[in-house]
């Protein structure tokens, strides 16, 4: 059977990936003096792989909650990934580390403290926990979904008075009482013997704070550690912050390379030796690390602004939606390039204008936080027509923005910019018609008379690009704006915003 272990950690924001790169930088610069032949890899068998003679795998889990429990999805999934890495490599010398910005819950603290201290008074509890993590993952896969469905039906039949059954917890409880049934939910070729699982357990540890460390504090602490280490390694230099970005960019390059997956300690010398020229080139170009830096700085400001404006109760939801958008956005940029991906959102621009696109995501996150029912998961990928964002339980939309204030302030100019961009990029060929186009605006685009589109705009614009396939296409779109979707400018009289809130 094929083991599908593609990442399901879609809830991690851009902060999570940025956090991962910073930890990789810290590991590289802090090992330099003592392990001259060491190396660090990002997304190479784990979030981070460190080699100081023996492999050390690190998963960096950045949480918005105040703590996690033993059955938190990201922890379970990490144990699952580590288990397979250990099994596939057959390594008895490597170590596996789960790093997070939040502590374990009080109820599970003793369990993980004992684990870290290698105090296994009841080895079976820890062995069964690893099996539990595997079960949680495999019951979601086709080969075991029917067995899990049968379990749920039987459980519901035997417990008819429970209104909201916790099926997974019930299954785990049953497995603890009937250990031989683990074989029903874990592939035979995957499940190791208990002694082998225990050998794996002894290689796993947790690096966790006593109290939650906020996003911006975590980043500041890591930055300070990295730059202090760089100062010790390369004294007399004043551009340690810039060198840090060069190292981060070098790690990004390894994730895109088919040949070189890691950075070696001796690579630092090359990075630092011509850093002045490299830094200039890095920030003059539309590099991904520059984009990530801009996003991270803006998200930190945005989080503080929401708290200051009295929206703390909606903060978690907003940052979750915004995090998914930015993570998928960055992933697409890494795969397909910044210009191609950002052209799906930006009009009338030769440059990428990262923060303009981020503002579109903010608006969608804010209106979804006001929704009376769940709109489902947000997604930027594989959508219909020219849509570039969608909610699984609601609708799909096409978000558009422009750096031109002249475009945003005038309805006809804004529509003209959209049509010109669509024709130039040949987006109209992918359109289904009737998509809802949402503009970042400073005008009343939703009140624009669409008759003028065909009469005054389309015919003139279409000529340089050849014949227009569907004359009425641009009239079929529903043109809306972000103004009423935002918390600070929300209008209770706006039908579009109200439909959004009600999931209509």
């Amino acid at each position: 059977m094929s083991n599908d272990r593609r990442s399901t950690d879609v809830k991690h924001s851009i902060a999570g990936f940025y956090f991962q790169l910073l930890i990789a930088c810290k590991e590289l610069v802090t090992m330099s003096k003592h392990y001259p032949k060491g190396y660090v890899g990002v997304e190479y068998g784990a979030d981070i792989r460190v080699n100081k003679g023996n492999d050390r795998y690190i998963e960096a889990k950045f949480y918005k909650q105040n703590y996690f429990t033993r059955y938190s999805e990201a922890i379970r999934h990490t144990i699952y990934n580590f288990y397979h890495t250990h099994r596939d490599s057959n390594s008895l010398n490597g170590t596996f580390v789960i790093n997070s910005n939040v502590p374990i819950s009080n109820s599970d603290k003793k369990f993980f403290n004992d684990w870290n201290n290698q105090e296994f008074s009841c080895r079976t509890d820890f062995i069964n926990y690893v099996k539990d993590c595997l079960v949680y993952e495999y019951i979601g896969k086709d080969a075991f979904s029917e067995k899990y469905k049968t379990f749920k039906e039987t459980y519901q039949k035997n417990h008819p008075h429970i209104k909201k059954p916790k099926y997974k917890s019930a299954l785990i409880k049953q497995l603890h009482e009937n250990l031989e049934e683990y074989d029903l939910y874990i592939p035979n070729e995957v499940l190791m013997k208990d002694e082998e699982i225990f050998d794996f357990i002894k290689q796993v540890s947790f690096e966790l704070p006593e109290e939650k460390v906020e996003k911006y504090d975590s980043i500041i602490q890591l930055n300070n550690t990295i730059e202090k280490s760089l100062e010790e390694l390369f004294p007399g230099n004043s551009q340690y912050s810039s060198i840090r970005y060069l190292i981060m960019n070098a790690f990004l390059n390894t994730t895109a390379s088919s040949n070189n997956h890691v950075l070696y300690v001796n690579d630092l010398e090359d990075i630092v030796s011509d850093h002045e020229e490299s830094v200039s080139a890095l920030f003059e170009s539309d590099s991904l690390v520059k984009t990530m830096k801009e996003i991270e700085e803006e998200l930190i400001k945005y989080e503080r602004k929401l708290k200051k404006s009295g929206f703390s109760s909606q903060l978690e939801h907003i940052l979750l939606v915004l995090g998914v958008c930015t993570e998928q956005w960055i992933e697409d940029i890494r795969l397909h390039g910044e210009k191609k991906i950002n052209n799906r959102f930006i009009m009338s621009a030769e440059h990428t204008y990262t923060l303009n696109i981020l503002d579109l995501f903010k608006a969608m996150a804010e209106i979804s936080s006001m929704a009376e029912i769940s709109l489902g998961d947000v997604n930027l990928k594989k959508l219909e027509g020219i849509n570039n964002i969608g909610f699984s339980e609601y609708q799909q939309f096409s978000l558009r923005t422009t750096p031109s204030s002249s475009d945003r302030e005038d309805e006809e100019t804004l529509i003209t910019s959209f049509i010109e961009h669509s024709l130039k990029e040949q987006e109209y060929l992918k359109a289904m018609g009737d998509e809802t186009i949402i503009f970042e605006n400073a005008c009343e685009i939703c009140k624009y008379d669409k008759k003028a589109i065909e009469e005054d705009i389309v015919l003139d614009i279409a000529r340089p690009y050849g014949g227009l396939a569907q004359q009425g296409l641009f009239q079929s779109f529903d043109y809306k704006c972000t103004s009423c979707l935002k918390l600070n400018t929300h209008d209770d009289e706006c039908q579009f915003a109200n439909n959004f809130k009600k999931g209509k």
Side-chain angles (χ1 to χ4, degrees), residues 67-82:
Y67 59 86
F68 65 82
T69 68
R70 70 170 75 186
Y71 290 118
S72 293
E73 188 274 337
I75 300 301
R76 296 193 325 258
H77 186 66
T78 300
I79 295 293
Y80 168 85
N81 281 338
F82 279 170

Side-chain angles (χ1 to χ4, degrees), residues 274-415:
D274 61 349
H275 68 273
E276 292 184 2
E277 183 178 337
S278 298
V279 166
S280 177
L282 180 66
F283 292 115
E284 284 178 4
S285 66
D286 290 327
S287 63
L288 183 52
V289 73
K290 175 185 174 183
T291 296
M292 293 177 68
K293 175 177 179 285
E294 289 177 343
I295 292 172
E296 185 57 46
E297 290 174 348
E298 179 61 21
L299 287 180
I300 290 172
K301 294 176 188 175
Y302 181 58
E303 183 173 343
R304 288 173 171 159
K305 178 183 175 183
L306 288 173
K307 289 179 179 178
K308 189 175 180 181
S309 301
F311 299 119
S312 293
S313 62
Q314 290 154 277
L315 183 64
E316 183 176 345
H317 177 99
I318 291 171
L319 292 179
L320 176 62
V321 173
L322 192 54
V324 173
C325 290
T326 53
E327 186 73 9
Q328 292 188 19
W329 177 30
I330 288 295
E331 183 62 24
D332 275 347
I333 288 173
R334 291 172 65 195
L335 293 173
H336 306 294
E338 197 154 16
K339 184 172 180 61
K340 180 177 179 180
I341 296 304
N342 287 354
N343 266 348
R344 299 176 62 202
F345 303 93
I346 285 278
M347 310 176 301
S348 304
E350 291 298 322
H351 301 288
T352 54
Y353 293 96
T354 299
L355 300 186
N356 293 69
I357 298 175
L358 195 61
D359 283 341
L360 292 173
F361 298 149
K362 288 179 189 175
M364 301 302 279
E366 290 181 22
I367 187 61
S368 68
S369 76
M370 293 185 262
E372 297 169 7
I373 62 172
S374 173
L375 302 178
D377 297 328
V378 66
N379 183 39
L380 306 186
K381 301 184 179 185
K382 296 181 180 179
L383 303 173
E384 298 176 328
I386 59 171
N387 292 318
N388 52 27
I389 191 168
F391 293 88
S392 61
E393 303 299 324
Y394 185 43
Q395 294 181 22
Q396 299 179 9
F397 304 97
S398 180
L399 302 179
R400 302 291 160 149
T401 188
T402 171
S404 168
S405 59
S406 298
D407 284 0
R408 292 195 302 270
E409 291 170 358
D410 178 77
E411 293 87 353
E412 184 167 311
T413 308
L414 186 58
I415 291 287

Side-chain angles (χ1 to χ4, degrees), residues 22 25-27 29-30 218-232 244:
L22 287 176
C25 289
K26 185 202 78 170
E27 291 290 335
V29 299
T30 55
S218 297
I219 290 166
I220 289 169
Q221 288 173 14
L222 282 167
N223 286 347
N224 288 340
T225 300
I226 294 165
E227 290 171 29
K228 183 178 179 181
S229 296
L230 285 170
E231 187 175 1
E232 292 174 358
R244 172 169 52 82

Side-chain angles (χ1 to χ4, degrees), residues 41-57:
V42 175
E43 293 190 345
Y44 186 49
D47 276 0
I48 302 160
R49 179 179 177 181
V50 180
N51 188 288
K52 300 177 182 179
N54 294 324
D55 280 330
R56 182 170 185 249
Y57 299 90

